[in-house]
Amino acid sequence: MAVVMGVRQGMEVPEQTRTMAGHSKWSNIRHIKASKDLARASVFEKASHMMKTAVKEGGSTDPKLNTKLAKAIEFARSNNMPTASINNTLQNLQKSQANAQPGLMELKGPGGLFLLVELHTDNIKGTRSAINSVIKKTTISEAIGSVKGLFEEKGVVVTEASCDLDAATDLAISVGAEEVVHDDNTLMFMCSPRDLDEVRQGLEQQNLTVIHASIDFLPKILTSISEEEEKELSIIMQKIEKVQDVVKVHVNL
């Protein structure tokens, strides 16, 4: 015969039972809250990183003059980042911008791959040390003086592909771009870094929707690596990009 043990109606629940039940419920609530707080902090960290990158690439902490920064601020607001936190991030970026200088760090990766790490820092030694801590005990190592020549600095403007490649080529010529590449649903116009603003404005005047505009280091020669090496590279790159004062990581992949 099965015996069902329980509490009869009207019978008082022992104090210990009530305490344990309450403790279990509070533990669950606390666990859920901790998970949500962690996810929230991660989103805020991403928003701060986006603002930092936008300021370093656009050179301005004024969202009216820096469209990428305006988008980063909108991302922060849409994810409920407090206004005070956004303002503090911008104020700190303003202070760091005053003394920061651009720099590069050259790295050799798995499978003969090369990485060019773009920096903007007022403490180059400290930033390099932080990156070396990340790549320590990995397949990535410093390759001073042997990487920058494998990349070419170019102005890059990415737009929505609202016309075919032939029409885009004509547009590229008219606005002063050197080359245009069609990729899925976008067009990528390349030009001299000094012509970036002129090309971007010219494309906007031709009613093309600009998605992104920046100065990038484009690889002259691409290198193929294995799927396993690519997974390893992706993990390490994410860690490098989180280092304070790293703007962008360029790879000849």
Side-chain angles (χ1 to χ4, degrees):
M1 179 183 296
V3 179
V4 179
M5 299 184 65
V7 180
R8 294 178 184 174
Q9 187 175 2
M11 183 182 292
E12 185 178 353
V13 179
E15 181 66 28
Q16 184 180 5
T17 303
R18 290 203 305 269
T19 303
M20 290 300 292
H23 174 74
S24 177
K25 182 179 179 182
W26 167 242
S27 294
N28 289 336
I29 291 172
R30 185 168 56 184
H31 177 71
I32 292 168
K33 183 179 183 301
S35 297
K36 287 183 177 179
D37 288 347
L38 187 63
R40 189 166 175 258
S42 179
V43 171
F44 291 174
E45 182 183 351
K46 180 179 179 181
S48 296
H49 181 75
M50 287 171 65
M51 286 187 276
K52 179 185 78 171
T53 303
V55 168
K56 289 173 180 177
E57 289 185 355
S60 174
T61 54
D62 184 351
K64 293 178 182 177
L65 304 175
N66 188 337
T67 55
K68 191 168 184 177
L69 176 60
K71 290 178 182 178
I73 292 172
E74 181 55 36
F75 173 83
R77 286 175 176 159
S78 67
N79 283 280
N80 300 315
M81 187 172 182
T83 301
S85 298
I86 295 173
N87 290 338
N88 285 339
T89 299
L90 293 175
Q91 286 170 7
N92 290 335
L93 287 171
Q94 262 182 330
K95 292 176 184 176
S96 64
Q97 273 294 99
N99 300 316
Q101 297 293 328
L104 295 170
M105 190 167 178
E106 300 168 294
L107 305 174
K108 184 178 180 179
L113 197 73
F114 290 97
L115 299 84
L116 195 62
V117 184
E118 198 174 348
L119 312 172
H120 196 86
T121 178
D122 58 357
N123 182 5
I124 186 69
K125 187 176 179 180
T127 303
R128 290 175 69 90
S129 178
I131 293 172
N132 277 320
S133 295
V134 170
I135 64 175
K136 190 178 181 181
K137 296 182 181 179
T138 71
T139 55
I140 291 182
S141 59
E142 271 205 83
I144 300 171
S146 60
V147 177
K148 187 179 178 183
L150 301 175
F151 292 81
E152 190 173 12
E153 194 172 14
K154 288 286 184 182
V156 177
V157 182
V158 179
T159 73
E160 292 182 359
S162 55
C163 60
D164 60 29
L165 187 56
D166 288 339
T169 301
D170 291 338
L171 275 174
I173 295 170
S174 68
V175 299
E178 299 169 354
E179 188 180 353
V180 60
V181 176
H182 189 283
D183 182 19
D184 294 330
N185 298 318
T186 63
L187 292 167
M188 184 169 73
F189 295 84
M190 286 160 282
C191 62
S192 166
R194 65 176 178 273
D195 296 332
L196 178 64
D197 287 339
E198 183 181 337
V199 170
R200 177 181 58 79
Q201 291 171 11
L203 293 171
E204 287 176 335
Q205 289 169 4
Q206 295 294 331
N207 297 319
L208 267 70
T209 301
V210 173
I211 300 171
H212 171 76
S214 66
I215 295 173
D216 286 326
F217 286 90
L218 304 180
K220 295 178 182 178
I221 301 173
L222 298 176
T223 301
S224 297
I225 57 176
S226 69
E227 187 175 337
E228 193 63 33
E229 288 170 332
E230 197 168 333
K231 288 179 182 177
E232 178 191 2
L233 176 68
S234 177
I235 293 169
I236 297 171
M237 280 183 61
Q238 287 177 29
K239 291 180 179 180
I240 293 174
E241 287 171 344
K242 287 183 178 180
V243 172
Q244 184 73 16
D245 298 329
V246 169
V247 176
K248 197 180 296 182
V249 182
H250 307 274
V251 187
N252 66 331
L253 181 62

